[in-house]
Structures are given as C-alpha cells and as structure tokens.
Amino acid sequence: VIVPMFGLFCERLSETVKRFGGEVIEVKAEWGLACNAEEIKAILDVEKDVKAVAVVYNETSTGVTLRSLPDIGKITRKKGILLIVDAVSVLLGDHLPVDDWGIDLCVAGSQKCFACPPGLAMVSVSEKAYEAAEKNKFRPFNHDFLLWRDFKARLETPFTPSIPLYYALDEALNMLMEEGLENRIRRHTICAETFYKTFENLGLEIVAKNEFRSNTVIVPYIPENINVDEFRRVLREKFKIAVAGGVGKLKGKVIRIGSMGVVSTYEVLATINGIIKTLKMFNYKPKNKLKKIVLEAKETLSQLKNFKF
Amino acid sequence: VIVPMFGLFCERLSETVKRFGGEVIEVKAEWGLACNAEEIKAILDVEKDVKAVAVVYNETSTGVTLRSLPDIGKITRKKGILLIVDAVSVLLGDHLPVDDWGIDLCVAGSQKCFACPPGLAMVSVSEKAYEAAEKNKFRPFNHDFLLWRDFKARLETPFTPSIPLYYALDEALNMLMEEGLENRIRRHTICAETFYKTFENLGLEIVAKNEFRSNTVIVPYIPENINVDEFRRVLREKFKIAVAGGVGKLKGKVIRIGSMGVVSTYEVLATINGIIKTLKMFNYKPKNKLKKIVLEAKETLSQLKNFKF
C-alpha cells in the first residue's frame, strides 16, 4: 500500500495498514507540502505488487489538502488498484466527487463538515472495493463491508446502531439539502479564504504552501517570541475562542483553526477579532494596519451575505 | 480459544475469534442449555495450547445465562489463561463481579441494563489481558487496549468520542448510583421471575431450562398452532408491545422479551396483559385461571413496591 506522508494523520493511516499486516511504501513530503501524482506513478512503474494507494485528503495536523488526489485517482483507476481516502475532516467542506475521482473507499466523520455530533462514520464503498473484500479472508467482523452490504439490502444494520445519532444525522442531512452541497463548500471556501487573507495581512506565515491550503483547517505559525500555549489560553479565557495547538514537529509553533460545519460570518469574525487582540496583548506588530485587515476580512466574508446559515 | 456454543451470539463470538485468525474449540449444548465447568476442564486437560475461554454470559437468542461462569473462572485462573466475557445483554441486570470471578475482558453495551441510548461499549481489562495484548503484535488500531490505556492515563480518548452519548452515560450512571447496583439486579430478577411464573401459569414452555434462566431475556415457546409473526403483529398493533421473534432454529417458535434497563411493574404488567389478551384472540386456553395468573404476577411484582423507579 502506498501512503503519502505529510502529517500526523498520514502516520496514523500508515500505522493502520501495518497493523493489519500490510506493507507500506511511504511517500514523504515536508510538512506544509504533499506529494504529486507523478511520484505515485513513478513508484507504481517500479513496484508491481501494490494493491492500493491510501491517502489522507485533508491533513488536520498541517492544514494541507492533497490537491493531486484527482490525478492520483486517474492513475489508480488505470492500474486497476484501489484508492482509499481518509476524508474525515473535509467531506462536504471541499470538492470530493467520490465516483468521478475513482475513489474506492472514502471515510468521513459525522462531527466535521456534516455539522453533526461525533459518533458516526460515513463510508462509501465501490464495486471494486467490494470485490477486493470478497477476495480477502481476513475481514474483522464488525467492520466487514460484505456483512454491512447484506444488511443494507434489507434496510438493516448488522449491529445495534446509535439511534440518537441517526436522528441527528437525519436532521444534519436535511440541513445540508436546504443549504445545498455547492453552497456548503462555497461557505467553507470563503471562510477559509478570509482566514488566509487575514493571516497574510497580519504577517503570519501559513504552514500549508499556497497550492495545498485546506478549506477546513487553517494552520498559521505563531511568532517565535510568543508562547503558543499562553496565546491559546488568553484566546480561550478572554475571547471564548478555542483553537488547537500544533502536534508533532509543529508543537509549540502553530495554532490550528477548525473552520468547518457550523461556521459562518459570525464565527470567523469573532475568531479573527480574538486573534488580533490576543496578538496585540503579546505586543505583536501586524504587517498591515488593523483597519485594512478587518475591512478586507469583512469584504471577503461579504460574499456570504445571502447565506441564511 | 474455547467457546461454549448455545445460541446465535455464541456463534458470533466464535466467528469473531476465527476472523482474527484464532482457532476455536466449540463446546456445544442444546439451545436452552449451556455447558458446565467440567466440560471446559476436560478440554483443558487434553488441549495444551488453549490461550483463552471466550463466553457469552447471557445468550439473547435463547434466554440462557451461563450459570457455570464463576466455576469456569476458577479454572481459567488456575490454568493462567484468559477468560473473555460477552456481557452485552446482562451487565447490571444480573450478578457479575468481574474481578471476583476472574474475568479478564468483559464487554457490555450502553443500551441494555445501563438504560442508556445505544452507541457505547464498556470494556473492562485485567492486568493479565493487558499483558497478553502487549505480547500480541496484531492489535487493530482503533480497538488497541494499550492505546486506550495510554490515553486514559491523561483522561483522554485516542479518538473523537461521541460527546452526546458520554453525557447520556454520565446521567445513566447517576441513575444507577441512586438506585444502587444490588437494587437494580433485584429489580431485573423480580421482573424476570414474574414473566417466568406467568408463562408457567399460562402453560407456555420456556426455552431455557430452569437452572439457566436469564434475568434479562425471557424466551417462551408460542403454541404450535399460532403464527408467531401474526402474534407479534397483534401484540404490537393492539397493545403497543414490541417483542422480538426467534432466530436460527427457534425462528417461528418463540417470542423474545427484553426485560432490562427501564423495566418495572408497569412495563411487566402491560406486557403480560397484552400477551394474555393476544393469546385469547388466537383462541389459546391457558393452563390456569386468568385471575390466578394476574394475581400471582402482581404478588411477585409487589416485592418491587419500594422502588421509586
């Protein structure tokens, strides 16, 4: 299994494959970047035994989205191998036409862009993935696609489902239908753009290089002379804004802003306002005038004015 | 792994072991019975490579409880092998002092005697089970006890938990503390006794033999000339009482009454009332007079009068 490596959740994916006895070919990229399709192709041209490419589409630890995913899908489809996608933190928040891109297995979580409580996993399975499962004798009972497919055919689940969460998902999907998928993705895009523009105006560097920037997780560096934990504490206590810290190599260097699900003008402006004021308390001098920064943020967000959300 | 086989969930347990590459020695019993500790011991005296005994404590398909469990625990402890218990449909509804009985791994579900919504699994792990896990290289990532132990030490979970269900569990545990564990088990016992006495008085046979009768799942045979699906439909539509049908070999022969969690005088009497009236509609002639049957049911239940539940 080929796994592009560009953050913590890529490491977890690689670990998961290994735990099931799989052999992993890791394609490493600097944190802030991700691999391109040519790198995958080059490996496939040499290694003849590859059964799948497994990728994290949106890496939560770095705010990097694997923009080469559609091109990777063309390659895996041509080679007849599986394409497995962890889309936990991004499905509905960015473009991901699962069938068009040739994705065989796509996994997402209810608590992210679905704007639903946590506790459910959504999994889409292609015919090719079902066929691979049929050939695989080793399928853990509770995660066996074939068992789920059998029960799905008679509108049942093989194990007791979490009824309250199914009701919540039903309502979350109603809300999605009301908003429309394209509108939801556009909302996430505009909110993310507002954050990126603001951080650029403030003079804060973004971990993800331009072409890899995520629509749902924004990860800016915090100036070296500011203690990130202290920064997060002030932001939380004074402005009621909770952001995550860095993990792994980025620990103590960045904050991570989850901008997904129930996120719109109000949440983005409140977060930006809190961050600007907290930076000020730490004596940070923004690159541009605050008035210009806030005006540009509002201007970007104004594209959302027709959203009722 | 030795697995006593006396119903559908025993079959699932055996299947689960096999799916993970384990070899199973099945100890078969007629449905309605279960094995005794001597049968396990006899196998252990011959087979030297057994690593665990895995049992279903309360078999939901037959209403049979494995009453030999404490004695099996003495044997596995003596032999230094693991005792694994599926207690999904019974924990808190019947006696199960996990440590006293030498149980290394005990699994239960939130939706049964916890009287909580479905969606959470409770797992207790002994030191011996942790040690076995440490020696086992093959531990699926999301169910890896050692990972859970590491995160538990800092009051975290390794993966996003279902927050709404955790709140529900917190309240369900408050309710358990208010009622008291012994009172809760006694409540289940008295409700079950009422069902058993009533079915005997009606002249309906119980699948589980006397010494194996479950506290939480009551499975009576329905007279042969009555269509069980029709019986269940009338009970549901006329009396708003939902009971399960039989599975496997018992399909079309029995009903299964879940008597656990939120169950007390009201629910038991309403169910008994519905069953008696439905039997009458199917022209069934009870063994005893209805007046005597209802009086005896109320008398048994009257032991619950001090319960506020």
Side-chain angles (χ1 to χ4, degrees):
Chain A
V1 178
I2 298 175
V3 181
M5 301 295 286
F6 50 100
L8 184 76
F9 291 90
C10 297
E11 286 170 14
R12 280 196 165 191
L13 184 56
S14 169
E15 172 84 15
T16 302
V17 176
K18 287 176 196 160
R19 293 262 186 141
F20 275 79
E23 251 177 81
V24 177
I25 301 173
E26 299 189 342
V27 189
K28 284 178 184 160
E30 290 290 305
W31 284 25
L33 294 167
C35 74
N36 56 45
E38 286 69 37
E39 290 172 77
I40 306 287
K41 195 176 171 296
I43 295 167
L44 284 170
D45 287 343
V46 179
E47 301 280 349
K48 296 302 172 199
D49 250 7
V50 175
K51 290 192 177 141
V53 177
V55 308
V56 174
Y57 181 36
N58 190 66
E59 173 53 65
T60 307
S61 65
T62 57
V64 162
T65 300
L66 185 71
R67 295 295 169 197
S68 55
L69 180 58
D71 291 331
I72 294 172
K74 280 176 200 157
I75 296 166
T76 51
R77 184 132 56 173
K78 211 169 176 178
K79 293 269 180 188
I81 62 175
L82 296 172
L83 178 55
I84 298 164
V85 177
D86 166 350
V88 171
S89 62
V90 68
L91 188 69
L92 307 186
D94 207 335
H95 301 281
L96 187 51
V98 173
D99 291 333
D100 288 354
W101 288 5
I103 295 167
D104 295 295
L105 206 59
C106 187
V107 182
S110 53
Q111 78 277 23
K112 305 286 188 185
C113 307
F114 281 80
C116 182
L120 296 174
M122 290 74 168
V123 182
S124 76
V125 185
S126 75
E127 279 307 315
K128 201 163 81 183
Y130 278 128
E131 281 162 27
E134 275 161 8
K135 281 181 215 143
N136 187 358
K137 267 169 53 181
F138 176 59
R139 288 170 274 119
F141 199 32
N142 51 344
H143 291 156
D144 180 358
F145 302 145
L146 304 181
L147 192 67
W148 281 85
R149 182 172 59 174
D150 289 349
F151 278 78
K152 186 160 71 79
R154 46 185 209 259
L155 295 177
E156 288 180 17
T157 56
F159 309 102
T160 307
S162 181
I163 307 292
L165 294 178
Y166 274 53
Y167 281 117
L169 178 63
D170 189 53
E171 181 53 23
L173 293 176
N174 284 337
M175 290 164 74
L176 171 66
M177 296 299 277
E178 281 166 26
E179 183 175 13
L181 176 59
E182 284 309 311
N183 286 337
R184 177 162 297 194
I185 294 174
R186 189 164 165 269
R187 172 163 62 81
H188 283 80
T189 308
I190 290 166
C191 290
E193 272 176 15
T194 310
F195 278 118
Y196 289 124
K197 181 163 292 237
T198 301
F199 292 135
E200 280 168 1
N201 277 333
L202 280 164
L204 299 184
E205 204 188 332
I206 301 294
V207 172
K209 300 303 162 236
N210 265 318
E211 64 274 31
F212 294 110
R213 284 180 177 176
S214 167
N215 255 4
T216 56
V217 184
I218 293 97
V219 187
Y221 285 102
I222 294 300
E224 273 182 23
N225 59 335
I226 298 177
N227 179 306
V228 172
D229 288 336
E230 274 301 295
F231 183 88
R232 288 173 58 218
R233 188 185 59 75
V234 172
L235 191 56
R236 189 174 62 243
E237 289 176 5
K238 294 251 181 212
F239 303 99
K240 312 294 175 207
I241 304 287
V243 298
V247 287
K249 277 188 286 188
L250 294 172
K251 201 174 165 70
K253 295 184 175 174
V254 301
I255 58 170
R256 295 184 298 143
I257 300 168
S259 171
M260 60 181 83
V262 182
V263 64
S264 191
T265 316
Y266 173 77
E267 289 80 13
V268 176
L269 281 179
T271 305
I272 287 174
N273 177 54
I275 289 173
I276 290 175
K277 288 194 173 147
T278 305
L279 283 169
K280 211 172 163 187
M281 288 170 70
F282 283 87
N283 297 314
Y284 178 75
K285 299 274 171 282
K287 195 173 121 190
N288 289 311
K289 288 227 165 71
L290 287 184
K291 201 171 167 183
K292 173 186 153 78
I293 296 175
V294 174
L295 257 176
E296 287 199 6
K298 285 186 176 167
E299 201 178 292
T300 312
L301 280 174
S302 70
Q303 299 171 70
L304 282 175
K305 68 186 166 198
N306 291 327
F307 280 65
K308 282 184 199 142
F309 200 83
Chain B
V1 179
I2 297 174
V3 181
M5 300 296 284
F6 50 101
L8 183 76
F9 290 89
C10 297
E11 285 169 14
R12 282 196 163 191
L13 184 56
S14 169
E15 173 82 16
T16 303
V17 176
K18 288 175 195 159
R19 295 262 186 140
F20 276 79
E23 252 178 80
V24 176
I25 301 173
E26 298 188 344
V27 187
K28 284 178 186 160
E30 288 293 304
W31 285 24
L33 295 168
C35 74
N36 57 45
E38 286 67 38
E39 291 173 75
I40 307 286
K41 194 175 171 296
I43 296 167
L44 285 170
D45 286 345
V46 178
E47 300 281 347
K48 295 303 173 200
D49 250 7
V50 176
K51 289 191 178 144
V53 177
V55 307
V56 174
Y57 180 35
N58 190 65
E59 173 54 63
T60 306
S61 65
T62 57
V64 162
T65 300
L66 185 71
R67 294 293 170 199
S68 55
L69 180 56
D71 290 332
I72 294 173
K74 281 176 199 156
I75 296 165
T76 51
R77 185 135 54 175
K78 210 166 174 181
K79 293 268 182 190
I81 62 177
L82 295 173
L83 178 56
I84 299 165
V85 176
D86 165 350
V88 171
S89 62
V90 67
L91 189 68
L92 307 188
D94 206 335
H95 299 282
L96 187 51
V98 174
D99 292 333
D100 287 355
W101 289 4
I103 296 166
D104 295 296
L105 208 57
C106 187
V107 182
S110 53
Q111 79 277 21
K112 305 286 189 184
C113 307
F114 282 79
C116 180
L120 296 175
M122 288 71 167
V123 182
S124 77
V125 185
S126 75
E127 279 308 314
K128 199 163 84 183
Y130 278 129
E131 281 163 27
E134 274 161 9
K135 281 181 214 145
N136 187 358
K137 266 169 58 183
F138 175 59
R139 286 171 275 119
F141 198 33
N142 49 347
H143 291 157
D144 181 358
F145 302 145
L146 304 180
L147 193 66
W148 281 86
R149 182 173 60 175
D150 289 350
F151 278 77
K152 189 161 69 78
R154 45 185 210 258
L155 295 176
E156 287 181 15
T157 56
F159 309 101
T160 307
S162 180
I163 305 293
L165 294 178
Y166 273 53
Y167 280 116
L169 178 62
D170 189 52
E171 182 53 22
L173 293 176
N174 285 336
M175 289 163 74
L176 171 65
M177 297 297 277
E178 281 166 26
E179 183 175 13
L181 176 59
E182 284 309 312
N183 286 334
R184 178 161 296 193
I185 293 174
R186 189 165 165 268
R187 172 162 61 80
H188 283 80
T189 307
I190 289 166
C191 290
E193 272 176 14
T194 310
F195 278 118
Y196 288 124
K197 179 165 293 238
T198 301
F199 292 134
E200 280 168 2
N201 277 333
L202 279 164
L204 299 184
E205 204 190 331
I206 301 296
V207 172
K209 299 303 161 236
N210 265 320
E211 65 273 31
F212 294 110
R213 285 181 175 176
S214 167
N215 254 4
T216 57
V217 185
I218 292 94
V219 187
Y221 284 102
I222 294 300
E224 272 184 23
N225 59 334
I226 299 176
N227 179 307
V228 171
D229 287 337
E230 274 303 294
F231 182 90
R232 289 174 57 219
R233 190 185 57 75
V234 173
L235 192 57
R236 189 175 62 243
E237 289 177 6
K238 293 253 179 209
F239 303 100
K240 312 294 175 205
I241 305 288
V243 299
V247 288
K249 279 187 283 186
L250 295 173
K251 201 174 165 72
K253 298 185 174 175
V254 301
I255 58 170
R256 294 185 298 141
I257 300 168
S259 170
M260 59 181 84
V262 183
V263 64
S264 192
T265 315
Y266 173 76
E267 290 79 14
V268 176
L269 282 177
T271 305
I272 287 174
N273 178 54
I275 288 173
I276 289 176
K277 289 194 172 145
T278 306
L279 283 170
K280 211 171 163 185
M281 289 169 70
F282 282 88
N283 296 315
Y284 178 75
K285 300 273 171 284
K287 193 173 122 191
N288 289 310
K289 288 227 165 73
L290 286 184
K291 202 172 167 184
K292 174 186 150 80
I293 296 175
V294 173
L295 257 177
E296 285 199 6
K298 284 188 177 168
E299 200 179 295
T300 312
L301 280 174
S302 71
Q303 299 172 69
L304 282 175
K305 68 186 170 201
N306 291 327
F307 280 65
K308 282 185 201 143
F309 200 84

